[in-house]
Amino acid sequence: MLLDVPSGSIFSLDERVYHYLQVVLADPSMEGESVQRLTGLDAQTITEIEGELEQLVVAGCLFTQATQPTEDGSVLTLKSLCLNVAHECNFSCTYCFAHGGDYYGDTMLMTREVARAGIDFLVYESGVHHNVEVDFFGGEPLMNWDVIVDTMAYAWSAYPLKKWRFTLTTNGSLLRDDMFPVLEANDVSVVLSLDGDRRANDANRVFKDGRGTFDAIIERIRRFTRTRDEGGYFVRGTYARNTLAFAQSVRELHTLGFKYISMEPVVLSADSALALQTSDLPAIRAQYEELIAYFLSELGSGAGFDFFHFKLDLEAGPCLSKRIYGCGAGVEYMAVAPNGDVFPCHQFDGVQEYRMGNVLVSPVLNCPEVLAECAHANFLFAKEECGSCWARFYCSGGCLANNYATTGTLLKPYALGCLIQKERIEAALVVKAAESPEKNHD
Amino acid sequence: MKFIKVVATKTIDVDDKLAKACRECQTPCKSACKTSSTVGNQVCETRKKPKRFIW
Ligand code: SF4
Ligand code: SF4
């Protein structure tokens, strides 16, 4: 594969071109017989390869100038809010960043007043933005179903000119059939947590008493996903050190009948037994390779299989402005805790140093320093490593919360997370290359 | 071409898109506890409406 980072042009190379580029890029002054000797290619082949590369350069697809946009935080306004409607969960997953749902505090459910104040805050801050997002999160958000229903009804009725987009992240254990039409009517995208079959899932996703959760949720999740055959859900798994065979877990989820699947690397402090280590990278790479093969073999089968991280839309991808301003934590995206406190995102919930205000108080935001710090940290090129990383326009600069948790600052990327991210993006590009018919470079 | 397969060209269009950025698209959270999305997984709202957002 060859990726021209600034222009996003992607090529699949014959092995001979790969060798040629390796030799010539290592020493651009090299010419003639030296190139032949080091590449093992004859003069005719080298001429043909150089001709093809030249065509791409002339067409502006290869060796293009690196882009270095200037920072302009004024383009960022709040448009997305995570409502942590429950600081409580009926599970106690071993890898939970939220400490079994209570975020290292007292268990608490959000009241409808706080949730409505959150909606008011989002609408006020989002200004002229038409699309606004609200994610119901926890803990287990379905522990507070009535507030979720009330919040959606309030949003539509109080602010009908906004385009509301709701999402729900749930462990599935409290899903009931009578909820399905409500989720459908409000066009709620649903993320269902399940790590694989019983073996993989129950390794980490357990009840408070340590029992595995698979048997309690599988039928509920299946009943729901059958109502969404055309999409609108993802079954999302997490892989940790004790469940590293995640390609198998993905296949299991597919065999269980799920079409839309995602699988995420766990993030834990390095001293946790379940945390991924740099030494796991070869195994992680092998898993992505296995997944590529599975994805491609399922493509033409008609069985329906979609792996989220291999979905790259090369025709209608985001603009550069989006690619250089990260996840938006603390500026475009914020999270509200059950007591109304506002944080840069759900992973910062409870980190008092990053508390930005409270939705029950006017004005809501009272911490301009945090806002300014987040706005700067969201800018891709504010992070030295990101500015020169080949994956920068796909990643957009990593997770500020992971950066903070692992390096103590928003501005230094979480190194292992970057390596995994790059494996994943590379795998997605390989899938794209395998899927794509040859394109005319003009 | 004989040696190079062109998969896609100029998928990032610097001049055109910086000027027109409307920022109406979904925020791309990369957190494992949601469905971590890279911006690469997302689409431009003005060119292709996603049916639903997914975290
Ligand atoms: S992979 Fe890491 S270094 Fe590269 S853009 Fe993402 S966060 Fe930055
Ligand atoms: S900081 Fe991380 S968890 Fe928070 S919104 Fe950004 S990517 Fe998501």
Side-chain angles (χ1 to χ4, degrees), chain B:
Chain B
M1 287 202 238
K2 184 170 157 194
F3 297 96
I4 302 173
K5 175 179 167 185
V6 180
V7 178
T9 53
K10 301 181 188 170
T11 61
I12 299 167
D13 187 343
V14 184
D15 306 327
D16 174 36
K17 291 177 213 161
L18 249 190
K20 292 186 203 152
C22 64
R23 308 200 70 81
E24 287 287 355
C25 50
Q26 183 185 10
T27 49
C29 172
K30 291 158 206 81
S31 151
C33 48
K34 301 202 174 183
T35 288
S36 68
S37 81
T38 70
V39 292
N41 295 128
Q42 299 187 323
V43 291
C44 168
E45 287 274 318
T46 52
R47 292 196 289 162
K48 187 179 191 179
K49 272 238 163 318
K51 189 162 175 282
R52 284 191 169 102
F53 279 18
I54 278 291
W55 281 85

Side-chain angles (χ1 to χ4, degrees), chain A residues 268-308:
Chain A
L268 289 166
S269 64
D271 55 0
S272 160
L274 296 179
L276 300 171
Q277 310 286 348
T278 309
S279 57
D280 295 326
L281 273 174
I284 291 171
R285 185 177 187 93
Q287 292 299 311
Y288 280 118
E289 282 168 3
E290 211 176 309
L291 264 185
I292 293 171
Y294 186 66
F295 187 93
L296 294 175
S297 73
E298 288 301 304
L299 257 189
S301 76
F305 173 63
D306 204 345
F307 184 65
F308 186 71

